[in-house]
Amino acid sequence: MFGQPEAELEGQPLLQGQDAAATLTTEVAALAAGEPLQRELWLTRADGQRIWVQIDAHAADTQAQLDGADGAWWMMQDRTEIRHAQQELQRRFEELHATNRQLEEAQNQLLQQDKMASIGQLAAGVAHEINNPVGFVSSNLNSLRQYAGELMALASAFEAGASRPQDAQAAAALAELRARVDLEYLSEDVPQLLDECADGLGRVKKIVQDLKDFSRVDQADWQDADLNAGLESTLNVVRHEVKYKAEITRQLQPLPPVRCMAGQLNQVFMNLI
């Protein structure tokens, strides 16, 4: 095992010339006291090749000690191939662990990308839902701006006519403007435009409130929540994504408050829908 003739070893201290022998000082002392020795370590052959050796030693039997043959039995086994196999196994395990970690990171990135895509799609739908009322509110405001200009001009003409009642030119301008501005129509249209603006802004406010209820960003902890309300807010948030694909039928029944993480549960509702 060590590549040395038997004659060179007989009568020599065990493990003579081995650097690792110093590491066995404590174990050898325990062996002399009757304790067994079990150890694996690197030793060196005569040709310089390092080998992994398993050492098992125990004190000589009692009868031998009584006969004066004090000493110990040693068994040394070359386990280099097993050691190399263990090291290769450890190396492959570490590679497998690193590969698994990379796969987990790649999976997390894919999940994150999927989440971002879903968020983008959801945001686009919510933006569309908001743009509709904002669009007609903006259109109504343009009409109201035009009506306000006409009414302000009419008021100025009335003021000019009242301050100069004998001025025929001012009276003619007032009559012309009065004929051009349809007060009866304005008295009907302006309240309708204001009502539509209020309705549109109410819809925007409702969408924003539904988003807030859906995300529950201010209520991230466990809480008692109304699942029906959470489901309703989720349906409103995903309305644009669903309305062209399916018809939602509600058959909700009254429920007691449920202890849950409402924001995360709303995410579950959204994923299922």
Side-chain angles (χ1 to χ4, degrees):
M1 187 169 69
F2 288 100
Q4 293 177 268
E6 182 178 338
E8 293 183 7
L9 294 175
E10 287 182 354
Q12 300 298 323
L14 188 65
L15 303 180
Q16 183 179 11
Q18 296 285 348
D19 296 336
T23 65
L24 294 174
T25 303
T26 303
E27 286 90 337
V28 170
L31 179 64
E35 297 291 332
L37 184 154
Q38 292 181 330
R39 183 77 178 273
E40 291 188 3
L41 70 167
W42 287 106
L43 297 178
T44 307
R45 289 171 43 90
D47 58 7
Q49 179 184 349
R50 288 170 59 78
I51 58 175
W52 184 255
V53 178
Q54 181 186 57
I55 299 177
D56 290 286
H58 59 86
D61 58 56
T62 306
Q63 185 60 46
Q65 289 179 347
L66 294 176
D67 293 342
D70 191 19
W73 294 103
W74 290 73
M75 181 180 72
M76 291 184 286
Q77 182 180 6
D78 184 356
R79 296 173 59 87
T80 305
E81 291 186 2
I82 296 177
R83 177 64 174 176
H84 287 162
Q86 290 175 339
Q87 290 177 329
E88 178 66 14
L89 182 62
Q90 179 65 26
R91 184 185 66 80
R92 293 188 179 184
F93 173 77
E94 291 174 355
E95 288 180 354
L96 180 62
H97 183 69
T99 302
N100 187 55
R101 185 169 59 250
Q102 292 174 356
L103 288 174
E104 288 180 352
E105 292 176 355
Q107 183 183 28
N108 290 335
Q109 290 177 358
L110 288 175
L111 288 174
Q112 187 65 22
Q113 291 174 1
D114 187 54
K115 287 181 180 179
M116 294 305 295
S118 298
I119 291 174
Q121 189 176 10
L122 181 64
V126 172
H128 180 79
E129 290 296 313
I130 290 178
N131 280 337
N132 283 339
V134 168
F136 68 71
V137 167
S138 177
S139 176
N140 287 355
L141 287 177
N142 289 332
S143 298
L144 289 170
R145 183 180 293 109
Q146 177 185 345
Y147 293 166
E150 293 176 352
L151 291 174
M152 292 299 294
L154 188 60
S156 297
F158 271 115
E159 185 177 0
S163 62
R164 301 191 302 274
Q166 305 302 324
D167 189 340
Q169 185 177 1
L174 176 59
E176 179 185 0
L177 188 59
R178 177 66 183 80
R180 184 157 50 90
V181 176
D182 190 347
L183 289 178
E184 183 178 356
Y185 173 76
L186 291 183
S187 63
E188 294 178 359
D189 198 34
V190 168
Q192 291 181 3
L193 292 178
L194 291 174
D195 289 341
E196 290 177 0
C197 288
D199 178 67
L201 294 177
R203 287 170 58 181
V204 172
K205 182 179 179 181
K206 179 73 165 57
I207 294 172
V208 173
Q209 184 61 47
D210 286 335
L211 276 173
K212 182 179 178 182
D213 293 340
F214 169 77
S215 62
R216 297 293 183 108
V217 292
D218 56 342
Q219 301 175 5
D221 296 329
W222 289 85
Q223 57 184 292
D224 293 329
D226 183 351
L227 297 188
N228 285 340
L231 189 54
E232 286 289 352
S233 66
T234 304
L235 286 171
N236 289 333
V237 168
V238 301
R239 176 176 175 272
H240 181 72
E241 292 300 314
V242 176
K243 65 182 181 181
Y244 299 113
K245 304 173 184 176
E247 178 182 350
I248 301 296
T249 302
R250 292 170 171 80
Q251 294 180 348
L252 305 180
Q253 300 297 323
L255 292 175
V258 176
R259 191 74 174 168
C260 62
M261 299 187 75
Q264 294 190 16
L265 204 54
N266 289 342
Q267 288 280 347
V268 173
F269 292 154
M270 184 187 73
N271 292 339
L272 291 174
I273 295 169

